[in-house]
Amino acid sequence: MYRYLFVFMGLLIFSFSNAQSKIPKKRKYGFTPKLVTGPYLQMPTSNSMTIRWRTADRDVSFVRYGKDENHLDQLAGNSSRTSEHIVNLTGLEPGTQYYYLIEGVRDTLKWDSDTRFQTLPLFRKKEKVAVGLFGDAGNNSDNQRKVRDAFKAYTQDRNLNALIMLGDNAYSFGTDAEYQQNFFDIYQDQFLKNTPVFAIPGNHDYHDYVTFAEHAQQSGLLAYFDRFTMPTKGELGGVASHTQSFYAFDLGNAHFIALDSYGLEDFKGTRVFDLDGRQAKWLIKDLEANKTKKWKIVLIHHPPYSMGSHNSDTEAQLIKIRENLTPIFEKYGVDVVFSGHSHDYERSKLMKGHTGNNASFHQGYFISHSSAKDNGTPNSAPYDKRKSNDGTVYVVAGSSGALDHQQKTYPHNAMPFSTNELGGAALLEIEDSRLEMKWINSEGKVWDNFVIIK
């Protein structure tokens, strides 16, 4: 009797154990953690791409990818569990479109026909490079969404090689939650999963922790530094900066220099406009090392010339940038300087040599008096730098989200093409010896454009 009882109990235990093995146990990290952010693309080159995403719980990090969206035959990643996932794909072919999906320990976290990217063309090749530039975007406003949608509609038949954020990317304090709500949630599906993003910090990106830039990034206290992967070692071109605060990168035959115009560089308290500071010395070194590059573009949040929501005659940072940095830009043949900070659109003609206030500016500082629209209208010929590399065009593109008042002296005398009636974003297209910028407003119209030829 006892023997039968033991046999029955054994069968019962076996059946229960076997049934339990078929029921997934609740693991500490979960089988399918919630995808919070991403995927989003970083660090593009002709043969590599970095893919980032964030999950609510710790999980493994894998990317499946290939040139055929129905046959993702390559795998990269690792089995270390984390909630901040960073996977670098290498050995890719130049100028080639790839499709990808991201997955965790069990399931695919994100995949559709639009999770794709295109590697850059080989450096110095003549293929067109197209870049979108958004300034002061992250305020979660109707204007931000209108600009996003209009820009997406205008560029839908183009291959955007990068999206560049010109600072104040997440209002009002640059917190992690604000980056999620005001930046990633808004741009994720339209751009970030298929267009690599670069960013520079603005003053609002520093408001969650007012401190020295170096100290902040090392201790991870600024969401800006935690959320983006910057080319700090010169791996995308240019001189290594060894900091995420400022850096350089190449896209095609164009060299971009991304500056931090707000953060304190070290405990001496220097900023970008202090010529004895670390950043200014690096800027000169990088420009010197890249003076033979075809195109040179500077990205800096605070504009040297503006009469929009900020006044470059009265604000110390803007004055010092104009007095100390514009001579450097012009000495090394920087073609265009893009800024934000002022919540409007402002654009100069090709100009050189002005470091004074608005009242002191006169037409003699313009190297060319053309509109450079290249549209066949009178006085619209492109800015011609084939014989001389003199002159820079200054653009304030700070109305991609924020949009508000102007100074009484608006527009600035150096910025004849200015408006704050509608928000917008800039489209920069470079193909061999021709550069064109178009400012696309929130109605999807090209309100302004200019062309430079070399």
Side-chain angles (χ1 to χ4, degrees):
M1 177 177 178
Y2 289 110
R3 182 177 63 182
Y4 293 114
L5 181 60
F6 287 136
V7 170
F8 175 75
M9 291 179 66
L11 289 171
L12 183 63
I13 292 170
F14 173 80
S15 298
F16 179 75
S17 175
N18 192 47
Q20 283 290 91
S21 69
K22 296 178 181 179
I23 301 173
K25 295 180 180 179
K26 185 177 180 181
R27 298 186 179 181
K28 181 178 180 181
Y29 303 107
F31 279 112
T32 309
K34 178 183 178 182
L35 180 63
V36 177
T37 307
Y40 58 105
L41 305 175
Q42 305 264 261
M43 303 281 283
T45 73
S46 58
N47 56 21
S48 66
M49 185 71 71
T50 296
I51 301 177
R52 292 190 60 163
W53 68 96
R54 174 185 285 187
T55 50
D57 298 296
R58 290 159 60 86
D59 196 9
V60 299
S61 308
F62 285 103
V63 176
R64 295 188 184 274
Y65 62 102
K67 290 182 281 187
D68 182 348
E69 64 178 310
N70 297 311
H71 187 54
L72 306 181
D73 56 346
Q74 299 183 69
L75 179 68
N78 62 80
S79 56
S80 299
R81 295 184 184 270
T82 181
S83 58
E84 294 290 341
H85 306 268
I86 304 175
V87 176
N88 188 32
L89 311 184
T90 59
L92 307 177
E93 297 179 17
T96 303
Q97 181 160 274
Y98 287 85
Y99 299 88
Y100 71 95
L101 64 81
I102 57 172
E103 65 181 18
V105 70
R106 179 187 180 194
D107 291 330
T108 297
L109 298 175
K110 181 71 174 180
W111 177 84
D112 58 50
S113 60
D114 217 24
T115 48
R116 55 180 171 77
F117 62 85
Q118 184 162 319
T119 52
L120 295 177
L122 289 171
F123 177 66
R124 295 186 185 277
K125 291 292 183 179
K126 297 181 180 180
E127 288 93 338
K128 180 180 287 188
V129 170
V131 178
L133 299 106
F134 287 61
D136 299 70
N139 68 343
N140 207 353
S141 64
D142 288 341
N143 182 56
Q144 182 182 7
R145 290 174 175 81
K146 288 178 181 178
V147 171
R148 175 200 65 187
D149 294 343
F151 193 84
K152 181 67 175 178
Y154 187 87
T155 60
Q156 62 182 352
D157 60 344
R158 291 169 168 82
N159 175 53
L160 279 181
N161 297 100
L163 197 70
I164 296 175
M165 309 306 294
L166 294 170
D168 288 358
N169 312 309
Y171 284 86
S172 287
F173 301 99
T175 64
D176 187 83
E178 287 173 334
Y179 259 96
Q180 185 63 48
Q181 296 167 6
N182 301 352
F183 178 75
F184 288 102
D185 288 350
I186 290 178
Y187 297 114
Q188 178 60 57
D189 289 333
Q190 286 79 4
F191 292 109
L192 302 183
K193 65 184 178 182
N194 52 41
T195 306
V197 61
F198 293 94
I200 60 173
N203 46 294
H204 282 276
D205 299 296
Y206 273 97
H207 283 182
D208 65 333
Y209 191 76
V210 182
T211 186
F212 301 106
E214 283 297 304
H215 176 71
Q217 74 171 47
Q218 290 173 2
S219 57
L221 292 171
L222 281 177
Y224 169 82
F225 292 113
D226 288 338
R227 289 286 198 154
F228 297 111
T229 301
M230 319 294 184
T232 63
K233 301 177 182 178
E235 57 268 63
L236 301 192
V239 173
S241 65
H242 305 294
T243 173
Q244 293 193 98
S245 295
F246 50 90
Y247 57 93
F249 60 94
D250 292 333
L251 297 177
N253 63 354
H255 183 65
F256 290 80
I257 302 168
L259 300 176
D260 180 351
S261 59
Y262 187 79
L264 295 170
E265 298 166 355
D266 50 39
F267 291 99
K268 295 179 181 178
T270 55
R271 282 193 165 103
V272 65
F273 44 72
D274 293 308
L275 297 182
D276 60 344
R278 177 183 174 189
Q279 188 172 183
K281 291 179 179 178
W282 170 85
L283 169 65
I284 294 171
K285 185 177 181 180
D286 182 82
L287 285 169
E288 183 68 33
N290 291 278
K291 58 186 177 183
T292 60
K293 295 285 176 67
K294 187 81 168 185
W295 300 99
K296 290 178 279 295
I297 316 294
V298 165
L299 315 168
I300 183 169
H301 180 68
H302 291 78
Y305 309 94
S306 178
M307 284 294 163
S309 59
H310 289 276
N311 189 321
S312 60
D313 278 0
T314 60
E315 298 182 30
Q317 284 175 277
L318 279 60
I319 293 170
K320 290 180 179 178
I321 289 171
R322 180 174 64 255
E323 292 178 344
N324 295 349
L325 295 189
T326 60
I328 296 174
F329 299 156
E330 293 165 4
K331 175 183 177 181
Y332 286 97
V334 170
D335 299 290
V336 188
V337 174
F338 284 99
S339 304
H341 197 50
S342 264
H343 303 157
D344 68 331
Y345 173 77
E346 303 172 76
R347 193 263 288 185
S348 76
K349 297 178 180 180
L350 192 69
M351 57 180 282
K352 182 179 180 181
H354 181 258
T355 58
N357 60 21
N358 183 36
S360 69
F361 188 90
H362 56 76
Q363 296 295 305
Y365 289 107
F366 288 140
I367 291 178
S368 171
H369 295 282
S370 171
S371 70
K373 292 179 181 293
D374 196 26
N375 58 5
T377 59
N379 202 28
S380 67
Y383 299 133
D384 191 340
K385 301 182 79 174
R386 286 175 293 186
K387 294 181 179 179
S388 170
N389 203 32
D390 280 351
T392 303
V393 176
Y394 294 88
V395 178
V396 178
S399 61
S400 302
L403 182 65
D404 49 51
H405 67 283
Q406 61 195 32
Q407 305 298 312
K408 292 180 179 180
T409 50
Y410 186 85
H412 194 289
N413 291 334
M415 310 292 260
F417 308 98
S418 300
T419 180
N420 71 341
E421 293 181 1
L422 292 173
L427 172 63
L428 180 67
E429 295 177 302
I430 299 173
E431 187 171 13
D432 193 19
S433 298
R434 186 179 192 273
L435 176 153
E436 181 171 12
M437 190 228 70
K438 299 174 183 177
W439 189 72
I440 316 300
N441 69 18
S442 58
E443 294 179 344
K445 298 177 181 178
V446 179
W447 189 89
D448 183 37
N449 75 293
F450 68 86
V451 175
I452 305 175
I453 57 174
K454 285 190 174 184

